[in-house]
Amino acid sequence: MPPKLLDDHVRFRYPASDDVVAVLLDCDPVIAGSRELTLVDDHWELALPRPDLQRIEYRFTVTRTLPMGIGMETVLDPDNPVTVETAFGSRSVMEMPGYAVPSWLSAPAVAGTLTPMALEGETTDDVPVTVWAPEGTEGRPLPLLLVHDGPEYDQLASIIQFSAAKIAAGELPPHRVALTHPVLRDAWYSGSPKYLRTIAGQGISRLHEHGPIDGPVVVMGASLGGLTALLVGMLDVPEIGGVFSQSGSFFQARHDGQESDYKYFGRISRRVQEIIDTRETDRPLRIGMTCGALEENAANNRDMAAALRRAGHDVTHTEVADLHNYTAWRDALDPHLTQVLRDLWGNAQG
């Protein structure tokens, strides 16, 4: 039986069999409650206190007796057909009453073309980029949205469909979307000066040569990509006018001790502190931020939003009822990214 919301808890069940000796719920550690299911008649059962979330992504870790001893495997819920692909594989999903996928996912969308290219700069490896553009706009000056982790943002959060649907609806003007590929993600997306200069300098120049850029460039990303989008925006590059960061990894020692063993924690936390300590800016940006209210990055995102506002940037910061995953980021694109882009670019009618 799929999970069910019962008053103040969510009931999870897993079918019992002679070889199953234990079952644990595998879900985000920020969700409170026990993970151990109890054997009740013909099934294993757990009552999880209802979290303040619209969705729960989960799996089961099942311990079985095998001919050679005891074995463990992590599996999807066999009784729940609702699943999602994530950056870490498939997950079963429990959707709370009232949850709905964004309407733009199935809305009419303009056709477009994809062009692969490479950005050369200071990084040892070139930065691969795939540029999407609406059909019939070749050579035409258009606004540009530059997306870190671009392939995953498209595969798991449908960023091209978002742009194509908003263009078709007249909510956004025709624009290009540059999907950057994270070849050396940890090294590049952790405040690497060479990477930041490659994207903001030679990278934007190369993208402008490919398709003329009209209006302020908007840089976006999630998690480490959200940090990197902001760091690109902080460079003194007049072409960049906006940033959209989702669940940005704005690590600080006082909030993120659990990340202190991460190889690039020191570099990230130093750069974050520099931004938080900045009291004013000569180049205000339009910055949109979203973050799950319960996720580990919530506190450092609140600090960053407050600091950016204090420095004079135009900031909107929204906490959502989901966690650190691409579906949460997809569901928050509209209206939050839509508004950032409209503030900078207008709509199809200008």
Side-chain angles (χ1 to χ4, degrees):
M1 181 180 296
K4 187 174 183 179
L5 179 62
L6 299 171
D7 297 325
D8 61 350
H9 68 275
V10 180
R11 184 186 65 196
F12 290 89
R13 284 181 170 177
Y14 186 85
S17 60
D18 292 342
D19 63 328
V20 175
V21 296
V23 182
L24 298 175
L25 181 70
D26 174 29
C27 65
D28 194 296
V30 304
I31 297 175
S34 171
R35 299 294 192 264
E36 185 175 352
L37 280 72
T38 302
L39 184 60
V40 180
D41 298 327
D42 62 347
H43 60 268
W44 296 83
E45 184 170 299
L46 170 67
L48 186 77
R50 179 179 181 172
D52 188 15
L53 298 171
Q54 292 182 318
R55 310 163 49 257
I56 302 174
E57 297 182 0
Y58 71 99
R59 298 179 299 179
F60 291 118
T61 298
V62 182
T63 302
R64 301 177 186 275
T65 55
L66 302 173
M68 301 298 292
I70 297 294
M72 296 176 62
E73 62 176 340
T74 302
V75 300
L76 298 178
D77 186 340
D79 293 328
N80 184 2
V82 183
T83 62
V84 64
E85 292 302 315
T86 79
F88 305 101
S90 300
R91 297 288 187 274
S92 295
V93 180
M94 193 278 180
E95 297 175 347
M96 297 295 180
Y99 172 77
V101 300
S103 59
W104 56 261
L105 278 172
S106 56
V110 300
T113 58
L114 292 169
T115 304
M117 55 189 299
L119 306 182
E120 299 177 2
E122 299 182 39
T123 54
T124 302
D125 297 272
D126 293 346
V127 181
V129 176
T130 302
V131 180
W132 176 87
E135 284 187 354
T137 61
E138 294 79 3
R140 176 179 162 190
L142 296 177
L144 176 68
L145 175 64
L146 192 152
V147 185
H148 284 94
D149 287 314
E152 283 192 341
Y153 246 112
D154 191 42
Q155 178 186 1
L156 303 177
S158 304
I159 188 65
I160 289 178
Q161 168 64 17
F162 167 82
S163 284
K166 293 301 177 182
I167 294 169
E171 295 183 49
L172 292 175
H175 58 274
R176 296 184 180 92
V177 181
L179 307 175
T180 65
H181 298 238
V183 176
L184 299 172
R185 188 174 191 271
D186 281 2
W188 284 358
Y189 288 12
S190 57
S192 162
K194 291 182 178 180
Y195 177 79
L196 298 174
R197 290 194 296 264
T198 295
I199 290 296
Q202 299 97 317
I204 288 181
S205 296
R206 177 78 176 89
L207 289 166
H208 184 76
E209 292 170 3
H210 168 75
I213 300 172
D214 178 31
V217 174
V218 177
V219 186
M220 70 175 285
S223 193
L224 286 173
L227 164 75
T228 304
L230 181 62
L231 295 181
V232 171
M234 291 291 104
L235 298 177
D236 188 17
V237 179
E239 293 89 346
I240 298 173
V243 170
F244 189 67
S245 173
Q246 299 193 275
S247 302
S249 298
F250 304 123
F251 295 154
Q252 301 176 67
R254 71 193 189 100
H255 292 314
D256 304 294
Q258 75 281 359
E259 302 285 359
S260 60
D261 291 336
Y262 177 53
K263 180 178 180 180
Y264 297 103
F265 181 85
R267 181 165 76 180
I268 291 173
S269 60
R270 286 190 297 272
R271 190 67 188 93
V272 166
Q273 195 60 50
E274 289 173 5
I275 298 173
I276 289 177
D277 289 343
T278 300
R279 288 298 183 264
E280 61 179 317
T281 181
D282 296 328
R283 195 173 60 85
L285 298 170
R286 175 65 175 93
I287 299 174
M289 300 171 61
T290 73
C291 189
L294 299 184
E295 67 169 284
E296 287 183 348
N297 280 345
N300 59 48
N301 272 250
R302 291 172 196 139
D303 287 355
M304 181 58 74
L308 292 168
R309 287 195 191 100
R310 183 175 59 241
H313 299 284
D314 180 5
V315 180
T316 50
H317 170 229
T318 304
E319 295 191 346
V320 301
D322 208 321
L323 296 175
H324 199 87
N325 59 71
Y326 271 101
T327 299
W329 302 330
R330 179 200 71 186
D331 291 355
L333 293 178
D334 191 45
H336 307 297
L337 175 58
T338 305
Q339 192 58 59
V340 170
L341 300 182
R342 291 191 68 166
D343 287 349
L344 291 169
W345 301 343
N347 56 23
Q349 291 74 40

